[in-house]
Amino acid sequence: MKPSPLLLASLAPIIWGTSYVVLEHLHPLGPTSVAALRALGAGLLLLALVRQWPRGEWWWKSALLGALNFGLFFSTLFISAAHLGGGLAATLGALGPLLILAFNFAALRQSPGPAALKAGVLGLLGVALLVMGPGAHANAIGLITGVLSVVAASGGYLLAGAWGTPPGASLLALTAWQLCWGGALLVPVAWWLDGPLPSLTPAQLPWLAYLIVVGTAVAYALWFRGIRDTSPVQVSLLTRLSPATAIALDLLNGRPLGAAQWTGLGLIALSVLVGSWPSRPARAAYN
């Protein structure tokens, strides 16, 4: 029996949750430089495997998807996290599923199913309880870039679900094109924000390889497969597993959790379970 696409897609945010540990081992690489390396490196790796290039309209379609899902999303996310702190930035990111529901209603006149709406609200509350602390602070730049990152990713997921896979091309090929476009767009941004790339030690190379191969190439291949085979709404609800994984790793390292964080973990788990059973109209729009 094959695992469901939604179950496989859930592995992606779990893997992304480990990236916080990886970043600690890649100092002094700046966060935007890491994002550029992981996107471009993973894209070129997948491109070498599939050996397929975009054709016709898929040149601009893959460029737009790459710009939204990687270029704009990664850059604005890191700027937001730098100004707001990871907790508030993660809470803004949890608005993604609700924003996708709003986009669906505005563009497709598709009313959100009660299960998806409940899951979106539960997940947002869960992430807020999980990562928000007394040290959270906000400013205009952080809030604007944080909201922009959510809009970019949500729009990219919706377009990926609506456009599907190009005729005659594999999903891995489409993922490779997006990563290459996004990574290429991130290179000048990384140069501007982080400066020239520093040299990495031999001990750091395995960490970077893990981030490129597992944390990006494999994770996003599973992620976009989930979007293609289920729906952007369902898959977006899984993003809450990323901060939950990061907190779980902290717990394994001896960091105690308070009552609010345990409650947040419970709400995230409940939101994922509730979101696994969408209403029929929500799935029909992407079949």
Side-chain angles (χ1 to χ4, degrees), residues 112-127:
L117 192 57
K118 289 177 183 177
V121 174
L122 284 172
L124 176 61
L125 293 175
V127 172

Side-chain angles (χ1 to χ4, degrees), residues 154-275:
S154 301
Y157 297 160
L158 279 174
L159 287 178
W163 286 344
T165 306
S170 65
L171 181 63
L172 277 182
L174 178 57
T175 304
W177 304 339
Q178 293 184 63
L179 285 165
C180 286
W181 279 116
L185 292 171
L186 277 171
V187 167
V189 178
W191 186 277
W192 174 51
L193 292 177
D194 299 336
L197 287 176
S199 299
L200 293 178
T201 66
Q204 290 177 305
L205 295 179
W207 293 101
L208 182 61
Y210 168 83
L211 193 61
I212 290 174
V213 178
V214 180
T216 309
V218 174
Y220 274 104
L222 295 174
W223 187 251
F224 288 126
R225 180 188 176 187
I227 290 176
R228 182 196 65 183
D229 295 344
T230 56
S231 80
V233 173
Q234 278 185 279
V235 174
S236 67
L237 293 170
L238 300 174
T239 55
R240 285 75 183 272
L241 294 174
S242 182
T245 301
I247 294 295
L249 290 176
D250 285 344
L251 182 62
L252 291 176
N253 288 329
R255 175 186 170 185
L257 297 184
Q261 289 177 310
W262 282 112
T263 303
L265 284 172
L267 288 176
I268 289 173
L270 182 59
S271 74
V272 172
L273 289 175
V274 171

Side-chain angles (χ1 to χ4, degrees), residues 19-228:
S19 62
Y20 301 102
V21 176
V22 176
L23 288 176
E24 294 175 0
H25 292 83
L26 292 178
H27 184 77
L29 271 180
T32 313
S33 297
V34 173
L37 286 173
R38 67 183 291 195
L40 193 56
L44 292 174
L45 175 63
L46 291 179
L47 196 60
L49 291 175
V50 300
R51 298 182 181 181
Q52 288 181 303
W53 295 92
R55 294 182 180 180
E57 65 180 3
W58 278 97
W59 280 102
W60 69 263
K61 282 186 175 182
S62 61
L64 180 57
L65 289 174
L68 291 173
N69 289 324
F70 299 105
L72 186 57
F73 170 63
F74 276 172
S75 58
T76 52
L77 176 66
F78 287 132
I79 294 172
S80 175
H83 285 83
L84 299 179
L88 188 50
T91 305
L92 286 177
L95 290 170
L98 295 175
L99 190 59
I100 288 178
L101 291 175
F103 283 167
N104 269 343
F105 180 75
L108 305 175
R109 295 302 175 191
Q110 182 182 98
S111 298
L117 192 57
K118 289 177 183 177
V121 174
L122 284 172
L124 176 61
L125 293 175
V127 172
L129 288 173
L130 189 66
V131 299
M132 288 286 285
H137 59 281
N139 62 42
I141 295 176
L143 290 174
I144 291 172
T145 53
V147 171
L148 185 57
S149 72
V150 179
V151 172
S154 301
Y157 297 160
L158 279 174
L159 287 178
W163 286 344
T165 306
S170 65
L171 181 63
L172 277 182
L174 178 57
T175 304
W177 304 339
Q178 293 184 63
L179 285 165
C180 286
W181 279 116
L185 292 171
L186 277 171
V187 167
V189 178
W191 186 277
W192 174 51
L193 292 177
D194 299 336
L197 287 176
S199 299
L200 293 178
T201 66
Q204 290 177 305
L205 295 179
W207 293 101
L208 182 61
Y210 168 83
L211 193 61
I212 290 174
V213 178
V214 180
T216 309
V218 174
Y220 274 104
L222 295 174
W223 187 251
F224 288 126
R225 180 188 176 187
I227 290 176
R228 182 196 65 183

